[in-house]
Amino acid sequence: MGVDGTWHLSLDSAMGKQEFDFDLKAAGSELTGTGTAEGREIAPEIIGGAMDGATASWKVKVLKPMKITLTFTVEVEGDEMNGKTKAGIFGSFPVKGRRTS
């Protein structure tokens, strides 16, 4: 099944819990998709998406409330993903996700 599908991710950051939804699709080692964020404005297209075995990685640009690029790196296991999100100078935070469709 891989990473293809719609995912709901929760990130525990220094600013509290952050919620994201991503539609992801893998083609070989390339990962493409779009995302939305609860209470935040983000650029909809993911950037630099890649697959390496069960490891998925991508970036998303948050536009509001502050401009920052988040880098997601997760391990996909069935309908769950776990990993970390790097938030620039704010460091890295754990992220968990589940496939919603």
Side-chain angles (χ1 to χ4, degrees), residues 19-82:
E19 305 281 336
F20 296 87
D21 290 295
F22 290 101
D23 288 314
L24 301 174
K25 182 166 180 61
S29 63
E30 184 178 331
L31 181 67
T32 59
T34 58
T36 59
E38 187 175 303
R40 309 242 175 301
E41 181 181 338
I42 66 172
E45 296 290 326
I46 68 169
I47 304 163
M51 289 295 303
D52 183 7
T55 302
S57 61
W58 69 92
K59 296 179 183 180
V60 65
K61 290 186 182 248
V62 177
L63 306 173
K64 289 182 182 179
M66 66 187 306
K67 289 186 178 183
I68 190 168
T69 298
L70 302 177
T71 303
F72 292 82
T73 304
V74 297
E75 292 291 321
V76 179
E77 294 183 31
D79 289 333
E80 296 185 356
M81 59 173 60
N82 292 287

